[in-house]
Amino acid sequence: MERVLQECDSAAASFQPDPVHHLRVALRRCRSLADSMIAMDPDRNWKAMKKAGKKLFQSLGALRDVQIMMEWINTLEFATPEETPTFAAPEAEPANQTGICGKREAEALLQVLRSRESGHKREACTALGEFDRKQWRKWGGMLPARAARIRPGSAVFKHLALERWNAARQLHTRAMRTQSEGALHTLRIGIKRFRYIVENSLPDEHLAWGNDLKHVQDLLGEVHDLDVLWETAVEAGIFNNEGARQAWHGKILAERSQRVQEYHSLTHGPESLWNVWRAGLPHGAEIQKIATERMKLWAKALDPDFAHSQRVAKLALQLHDGLEACGMTRYSSNEEDASASLYLGALLHDVGKAKGNRGHQKRSMELIKAHGTPLGWKPENLRRAALVARFHDGTLPAPTHKALRDLLIDEQKMVIRLAAILRLTNALDVAHDGHVRSVKIENVESTKQRSNGFRHRPTSLGKHEALVIAAEGYRDGTVTARAVAAERYLLETVLKRPILVKTAARRRRAVRR
């Protein structure tokens, strides 16, 4: 962020190509880092900083495009006046020889570009004058401390890099199939986004991959430059005859094809750079585990008592597993999906409290839905988790509620059942004190069992028999007991049986002799 301010001063002098380029790079790095942090830190200053740099970045983009085209005209080998005689008739000029490009056309295009450059410099000057450096300095003192809470090289950054790798790899497949201008340009942007998160947040990977990432990005960047150069030349109407037009087009196509072929050779086969990059990023079950850690980081920044939410999530899974062991949970979809939705809903149920307690249930739902699904989680599980969080407290869920009425009947039943479990376990920690440490299912016939968790299946309950939940640390006559008495109603309705919550018997410690 300090580099942006330094480059602003350099660029303001005369908006020469190098200072303009360096300022755009500095802005892009800041905006890229903001993108990464937004996924884990909901502080609104990240979005504000990103937006503030966007206008200046875009105004410099038009200027940079013109300057790059002028550099390309000087780089490409155009014919000298002696090689393209001025006295030759237009029809006598070679039409099929690549590399024989009239200097007259080059000079005509340079004149058009110089005129455009002057206009773009004025626009960039205006944008630079409107850029709020004072606010940028303020963010520069605030945001680095927030970014420092996540260590560079940590697993969550590798997870973000894997998301960017996946997105760019899909763009690569499409671009290699069509090799169109738009597909290759979009691929370049995808690789750039992957490169910047590696450069900003993964120092070891950047050391190993940085040169290759920059090289393939540069190759695709030059392809884009050549495409823009040709389009601009045609638009400017600089060609007086077909021979000159074909010569220009042939030269540009030859340079373009050379770079596309080099990119292809680097990114295909067993030694493909894509395979090298993928090998250094998370695999298998690790992906979902890190995705959960990302969600926890995001929730922790919003939830005023995230330790409470973690305890509730643990109790909710214990109760859900106990009901499953008793044969009291039946879902039309995968049981693992139900468990995952419950866990996420419990973990994130209080993120809406970032703006106060009133109406936080609905805000929690909206925030979860707006967050997006990290790689490793199913979108349907996160959507269901948002609904479960919506009904963890306050309004009781019903099929006619506007949040549920468009769902299929089986999905409605699942959401209501999971919300019922969450409401009860949330009540077990209503005091936010962690006194209730675990829960398990018991009944009259199984009260003498001393199994740990649910390793042994509890005796099946009779049709109208009460469900007994033994809670370690639970005490009658407390605030927790009153909350449980109020919140067990929904689960009783779903299970069609009364529920009794009691204190779990203390385990006797073995005496060593």
Side-chain angles (χ1 to χ4, degrees), residues 271-293:
E271 303 300 321
S272 166
L273 289 176
W274 287 106
N275 296 337
V276 173
W277 301 331
R278 180 64 186 89
L281 298 172
H283 289 79
E286 185 183 10
I287 296 174
Q288 185 178 21
K289 181 180 178 182
I290 302 173
T292 304
E293 292 305 311

Side-chain angles (χ1 to χ4, degrees), residues 49-62:
M49 181 268 276
K50 184 182 173 185
K51 184 178 179 180
K54 182 178 181 180
K55 184 177 180 181
L56 179 57
F57 182 81
Q58 289 179 335
S59 69
L60 293 170

Side-chain angles (χ1 to χ4, degrees), residues 236-249:
I238 64 171
F239 303 116
N240 295 321
N241 61 78
E242 185 61 23
R245 187 180 188 280
Q246 288 185 12
W248 269 70
H249 199 201

Side-chain angles (χ1 to χ4, degrees), residues 46-250:
W46 290 114
K47 288 186 178 180
M49 181 268 276
K50 184 182 173 185
K51 184 178 179 180
K54 182 178 181 180
K55 184 177 180 181
L56 179 57
F57 182 81
Q58 289 179 335
S59 69
L60 293 170
L63 174 59
R64 180 63 181 157
D65 286 343
V66 169
Q67 292 174 337
I68 287 175
M69 284 188 283
M70 294 169 71
E71 291 173 2
W72 270 108
I73 292 172
N74 293 321
T75 300
L76 294 173
E77 294 181 0
F78 293 107
T80 63
E82 290 74 19
E83 292 172 318
T84 308
T86 57
F87 56 81
E91 60 272 15
E93 291 189 16
N96 298 318
Q97 297 181 37
T98 60
I100 307 301
C101 305
K103 192 170 184 178
R104 288 175 300 176
E105 289 78 18
E107 288 295 340
L109 184 54
L110 280 171
Q111 186 175 353
V112 171
L113 294 176
R114 289 188 190 106
S115 175
R116 293 184 182 182
E117 183 187 26
S118 298
H120 290 318
K121 282 185 176 181
R122 288 192 294 271
E123 294 172 359
C125 185
T126 301
L128 189 57
E130 295 173 351
F131 183 63
D132 192 343
R133 301 192 193 190
K134 182 178 180 180
Q135 179 62 62
W136 190 266
R137 288 190 185 92
K138 184 177 179 181
W139 285 324
M142 175 196 314
L143 294 177
R146 298 193 69 87
R149 296 186 300 176
I150 306 174
R151 180 179 53 83
S154 66
V156 291
F157 283 130
K158 290 184 178 180
H159 187 270
L160 277 169
L162 179 57
E163 285 187 340
R164 303 281 173 84
W165 182 94
N166 274 340
R169 187 67 175 83
Q170 292 174 11
L171 295 173
H172 164 83
T173 301
R174 182 164 68 97
M176 292 298 97
R177 185 173 62 250
T178 66
Q179 294 194 13
S180 68
E181 175 187 344
L184 288 169
H185 178 53
T186 306
L187 169 60
R188 172 179 171 250
I189 294 172
I191 291 178
K192 186 182 294 186
R193 295 189 74 211
F194 174 56
R195 176 194 166 196
Y196 270 96
I197 191 171
V198 171
E199 184 173 297
N200 286 336
S201 308
L202 300 175
D204 292 340
E205 287 73 14
H206 175 57
L207 187 64
W209 306 340
N211 291 337
D212 289 332
L213 279 167
K214 185 179 186 304
H215 183 52
V216 295
Q217 180 189 318
D218 287 345
L219 287 173
L220 294 172
E222 291 173 2
V223 170
H224 176 66
D225 296 341
L226 290 164
D227 288 334
V228 173
L229 177 62
W230 172 246
E231 289 177 1
T232 305
V234 172
E235 177 193 350
I238 64 171
F239 303 116
N240 295 321
N241 61 78
E242 185 61 23
R245 187 180 188 280
Q246 288 185 12
W248 269 70
H249 199 201

